[in-house]
């Protein structure tokens, strides 16, 4: 929520002037810690009191940039709706802490630093009277960094209560008279009496009355250590649980003896409530247990390092009582890391830097090297300001580094596979295009020669010449068939998690591109999987994402989002711009690639999937989107382009979630390569009456090919009409479906392709069977092409074509 009242005090007042000595100690301590933090008031707009150096170094904000929580939020959370949510949540968490005293786990926020870069952080709150201490930590190290804050506190009682403005403490004086075994209370403060739920008369009258408040399980030891201190006239220090005021709490007593001239010895001491400290210690232990971490302290005067109790579990070594020599510690660092670690430690030792985070390998007891991430900082300085002690927390990150190395290896392998696939598909695209064009030319030559052979009966020289043409055509057909080895191989497919494929594709774009274009992956909770080869999906995603990144300008880079849509999302109702919509009975997954670039004009949209077309000049090959189109076609997947010039584009892809089922409804002998009915490979001319009384509509975008196919059919007795526009053919079929006995169509044509035209013909009444004659039968993919009653590969003979038409019209 927003606070409208102005702060009562100037925002720039120094924390030393506004707090007690314990808060001044807090400021000094927090200022030296490596954890970014902000201290702000709980009243009004959350006036900021203090930001430490780590906060400024990490996020770029100084105390002048953070006058209050609400003002800072304008810059840290530029989105108004998100900012409102954050502020409401911020104050709600503080209110909950005030009401219950419970420590909530850190919450995840996205803030923008002073340079405007977004950062994902975990934010934790702690209260100190009327102040909130807010910590900002890396997602992987948040809780451990909070534990490090506690581990680095001073060893005295003021460290235990650094997060509490009014330290709950009771002062007392005990007198040990000559000959007595136990001292008695001579003075107790009001706070002391409240903590133990005693009256002054009860406390002064009998020391055992005060001891009676100690928990029964702790009382014998408490009395014993008190008696030992009295007997030896030494300082007393002890911790125990007390039962008072209806609750059990931890307390700590510290006292120092002073011998009086007349013989008695007095102990002047303080009783402090350390229940919060004990709770924090338990939390710290839980964090360290979970994170495999240990605390340490490096004494620069003795040249030795001391390690916390978790050291033995992590390193397999029993800590030496006097500590480890610093040179021995450095010798256990991996030789490759030792120079950098030595230089970083030297900078800390000499006070050149206040804190640092080191990542290196260290040898442990069994000879293995483990990875450590060390948060180190200057803990104590002498009167000249020179560091005399360092402290910090070390985390065993071996598992994380191992997993990271494995992920990098897998990513490198995926990148290599993607590169090989892109090169292979580029060759396939070129080879396929060449084969298609040559087969069309060969079809024209072969068909024309076949028609002429019938008219050249009895003309030997003409027949010899046509024979040479036929033989040359056969050789050309074989040469073109050899290009088939360069066409895309049939890649294995299985069910894959779409979210994983999207994230992997983004990783392949590189960190520089990801950062520049703020690329993000958005996943619906129930997004379905895809039935695919992961390399093919990566090719589609990377090509689309790179184009999306290139859609902006150097001055205004486009932002890019890849999103997996929820299960059940319907694809666009219009015809796709590339690929083919999966059959209605096949479950599908939808994903989008969205950008905020310059958009796509209608002229570019009409040509963008054609080979050799590019808007990038010499920087583009003109093959990326044609490759995407061929992959979609092979997978029975489809893509729609939605774009507004000047506002960006959305590429929507629908992809099967399961393998295609076996199609039904074909004749009993259906199944040439899983696509069509079996057609005898007849040679030579067809009988002149084999197609008598049949009317056939021939559609091919190349006029010569359409005319030759029509001539072949007419030579076999059919009435054939040649059309080059599939839209015109669809209209002719719809106007009089009963007129047509069969449809002969090419596959790849501008506008409506052969599959769509065949489906249109099948929906008419009566339905018109379709025969596919294509130079690129290989692009049909794995799924049965149920739209076609027969599939023939160019160049085709008159006998083959007539036989296929007669068979489908029976």
């Amino acid at each position: 929520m927003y606070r409208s009242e102005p702060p009562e005090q100037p925002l720039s007042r120094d924390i030393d002037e506004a707090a007690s000595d314990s808060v001044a100690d807090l400021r000094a301590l927090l200022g030296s810690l490596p954890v970014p933090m902000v201290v702000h008031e709980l009243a009004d707009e959350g006036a900021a009191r203090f930001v430490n150096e780590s906060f400024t170094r990490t996020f770029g904000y100084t105390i002048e940039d953070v006058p209050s929580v609400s003002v800072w939020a304008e810059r840290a959370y530029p989105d108004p709706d998100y900012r409102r949510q954050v502020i409401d949540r911020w104050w709600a968490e503080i209110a909950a802490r005030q009401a219950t005293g419970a420590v909530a786990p850190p919450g995840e926020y996205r803030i923008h630093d002073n340079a405007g870069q977004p950062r994902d952080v975990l934010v934790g709150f702690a209260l100190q009277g009327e102040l909130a201490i807010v910590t900002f930590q890396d997602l992987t190290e948040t809780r451990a960094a909070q534990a490090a804050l506690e581990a680095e506190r001073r060893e005295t009682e003021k460290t235990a209560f650094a997060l509490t403005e009014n330290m709950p403490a009771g002062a007392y004086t005990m007198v040990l008279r000559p000959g007595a075994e136990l001292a008695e209370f001579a003075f107790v403060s009001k706070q002391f009496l409240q903590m133990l739920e005693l009256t002054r008369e009860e406390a002064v009258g009998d020391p055992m009355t005060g001891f009676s408040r100690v928990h029964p399980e702790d009382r014998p030891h408490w009395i014993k250590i008190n008696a030992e201190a009295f007997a030896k006239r030494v300082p007393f220090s002890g911790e125990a649980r007390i039962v008072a005021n209806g609750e059990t709490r931890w307390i700590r007593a510290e006292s120092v003896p002073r011998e009086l001239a007349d013989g008695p010895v007095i102990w002047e001491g303080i009783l402090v409530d350390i229940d919060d400290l004990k709770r924090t210690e338990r939390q710290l232990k839980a964090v360290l247990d979970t994170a495999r971490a240990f605390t340490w302290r490096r004494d620069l005067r003795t040249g030795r390092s001391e390690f916390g109790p978790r050291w033995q579990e992590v390193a397999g070594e029993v800590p030496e009582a006097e500590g480890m020599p610093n040179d021995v510690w450095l010798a256990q660092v991996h030789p490759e890391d030792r120079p950098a670690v030595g230089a970083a430690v030297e900078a800390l030792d000499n006070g050149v830097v206040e804190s640092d985070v080191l990542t290196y390998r260290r040898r442990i007891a069994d000879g293995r090297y483990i990875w450590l991430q060390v948060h180190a900082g200057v803990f104590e300085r002498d009167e000249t300001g020179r560091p005399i002690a360092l402290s910090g927390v070390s985390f065993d990150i071996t598992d994380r580094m191992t997993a990271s190395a494995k992920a990098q290896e897998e990513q490198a392998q995926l990148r290599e596979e993607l590169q090989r696939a892109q090169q292979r598909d580029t060759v396939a695209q070129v080879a396929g295009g060449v084969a298609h064009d040559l087969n069309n030319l060969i079809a024209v030559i072969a068909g024309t020669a076949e028609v002429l052979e019938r008219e050249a009966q009895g003309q030997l020289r003409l027949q010899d010449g046509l024979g040479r043409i036929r033989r040359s055509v056969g050789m050309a057909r074989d040469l073109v068939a050899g290009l088939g080895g360069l066409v895309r191989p049939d890649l294995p497919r299985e069910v894959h998690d779409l979210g994983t494929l999207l994230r992997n594709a983004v990783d392949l774009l590189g960190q520089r591109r990801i950062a520049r274009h703020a690329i993000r992956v958005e996943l619906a909770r129930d997004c379905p999987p895809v039935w695919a080869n992961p390399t093919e999906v990566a090719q589609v995603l990377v090509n689309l994402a790179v184009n999306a990144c290139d859609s902006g300008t150097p001055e205004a880079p486009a932002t890019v989002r890849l999103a997996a849509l929820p299960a059940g999302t319907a694809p666009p109702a219009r015809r796709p711009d590339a690929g083919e919509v999966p059959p209605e009975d096949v479950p599908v997954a939808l994903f989008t690639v969205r950008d905020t670039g310059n958009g796509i004009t209608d002229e570019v949209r009409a040509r963008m999937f054609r080979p050799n077309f590019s808007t990038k000049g010499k920087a583009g090959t003109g093959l990326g989107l044609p490759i995407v189109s061929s992959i979609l076609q092979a997978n029975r997947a489809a893509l729609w382009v939605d774009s507004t010039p000047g506002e960006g584009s959305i590429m929507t892809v629908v992809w099967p979630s399961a393998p295609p089922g076996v199609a039904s409804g074909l004749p009993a002998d259906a199944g040439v390569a899983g696509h069509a009915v079996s057609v005898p490979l007849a040679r030579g001319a067809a009988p002149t009456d084999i197609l008598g009384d049949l009317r056939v509509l021939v559609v091919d975008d190349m006029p010569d090919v359409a005319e030759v196919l029509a001539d072949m059919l007419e030579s076999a007795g059919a009435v054939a009409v040649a059309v080059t526009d599939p839209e015109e053919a669809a209209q002719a079929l719809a106007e009089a479906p009963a007129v047509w006995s069969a449809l002969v169509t090419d596959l790849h044509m501008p506008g409506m392709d052969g599959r769509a035209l065949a489906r249109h013909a099948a929906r008419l009444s009566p339905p018109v069977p379709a025969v596919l004659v294509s130079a690129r039968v290989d692009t049909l993919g794995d799924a049965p092409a149920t739209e076609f009653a027969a599939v023939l590969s160019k160049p085709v003979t008159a006998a083959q074509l007539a036989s296929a038409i007669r068979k489908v019209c029976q």
Side-chain angles (χ1 to χ4, degrees), residues 298 327 329-349 356 358-362 369:
R298 177 183 173 92
D327 57 345
W329 169 84
L330 186 60
Q332 294 172 339
V333 176
H334 194 283
E336 295 178 1
D337 303 333
R338 196 175 300 153
V341 172
V345 172
E346 183 178 358
L348 287 165
D349 290 349
D356 203 350
L358 314 177
T359 302
Y360 60 87
R361 291 160 290 179
R362 185 191 187 281
Y369 281 96

Side-chain angles (χ1 to χ4, degrees), residues 699 726 729-730 733 743 745 749 752-762:
V699 186
L733 288 169
L743 166 70
T745 179
M749 296 179 291
M752 178 181 288
D753 65 7
R755 294 190 102 140
L757 181 59
R759 284 194 292 268
H760 168 74

